[in-house]
Amino acid sequence: MYKPTDLLVSKDLKGNNKDEDIEGLRTRYNKYIYFNLSMSHNNQELLNTLPKDRHEFGQMVQQLAFGMRDDLYLYNKQKDTLVMTDFVYPRMYGMSNATTIMLVYPRDEEKLTSEFLYLTLRDLGIGTGEVKFKIPTHIIQEEPILTFKN
C-alpha cells in the first residue's frame, strides 16, 4: 500500500497545524516514497503462526527486523532499481492480524517516469515463492494534498 506524503505529515502534526510546520514536514517526507507491506498467515502475524520452534522464531525475527533490505526490490520497466533507504518493522506481539513493514525508498523522479514500478519480495522461507506487485506510478506523481485546518 502506498502512503502519500500528506498522510505521514498528518500523523506527525499532533495538532500543530502552523503553515511552517506543515511545509517543513512536507519537505522532509517528500524526499522519499513510502509503502506498507502487510503479510499474514491464517489472519495472524507471521511470527505467531509460522515458526515451528525457537530457532525458526529467532531466524524469522532476525529476517524481519534486519534482513528485509536484501529481500525487497523496487524497480521500473527499464530495470532501474530504487535502492531501499530504510524499513521499519514494529513488533506487535500478537496484537495485529498481519505483519506490517514500512518501506522507504528515495523519490527519484527520473525512475518514476515509467507507467509502473515493480516491488518484488523474495521468498522469506514461508513457502510463498517470489511475490511481485505492480504499482502504477501515477498514484505517486498525482498524490493527494490535504488541507490542514488551524
Side-chain angles (χ1 to χ4, degrees):
M1 177 188 323
Y2 174 66
K3 299 196 58 104
T5 299
D6 274 7
L7 182 62
L8 297 165
V9 169
S10 71
K11 289 184 177 207
D12 213 2
L13 277 174
K14 300 176 184 125
N16 300 328
N17 295 358
K18 297 177 189 158
D19 288 340
E20 59 271 11
D21 293 338
I22 293 167
E23 288 311 311
L25 289 169
R26 279 181 174 152
T27 300
R28 183 170 85 191
Y29 286 121
N30 200 41
K31 294 176 186 173
Y32 305 99
I33 51 178
Y34 303 85
F35 299 95
N36 271 358
L37 174 66
S38 293
M39 304 171 282
S40 67
H41 183 260
N42 293 334
N43 205 31
Q44 294 182 34
E45 294 175 56
L46 298 180
L47 287 174
N48 288 358
T49 59
L50 293 174
K52 297 177 188 77
D53 55 38
R54 292 181 120 189
H55 178 71
E56 283 186 17
F57 182 86
Q59 283 181 319
M60 186 168 280
V61 167
Q62 184 74 14
Q63 177 66 34
L64 294 170
F66 304 106
M68 296 306 290
R69 194 176 309 256
D70 300 328
D71 294 317
L72 284 156
Y73 303 96
L74 184 66
Y75 55 95
N76 63 14
K77 184 177 181 180
Q78 293 79 18
K79 304 288 185 199
D80 295 328
T81 302
L82 284 94
V83 178
M84 184 186 295
T85 303
D86 201 3
F87 69 96
V88 180
Y89 164 57
R91 290 278 310 269
M92 299 304 290
Y93 301 97
M95 301 300 291
S96 177
N97 63 352
T99 298
T100 300
I101 301 171
M102 179 187 270
L103 312 173
V104 184
Y105 291 92
R107 186 182 293 263
D108 185 336
E109 298 299 334
E110 268 184 41
K111 294 178 181 170
L112 294 175
T113 57
S114 291
E115 187 178 1
F116 295 98
L117 291 176
Y118 302 92
L119 180 67
T120 300
L121 173 63
R122 288 190 343 197
D123 188 353
L124 299 176
I126 58 176
T128 61
E130 185 176 272
V131 179
K132 186 185 286 188
F133 302 93
K134 188 175 179 181
I135 304 162
T137 55
H138 75 85
I139 65 172
I140 299 167
Q141 296 163 339
E142 302 165 12
E143 68 181 0
I145 297 173
L146 299 177
T147 302
F148 299 99
K149 295 187 180 194
N150 291 331

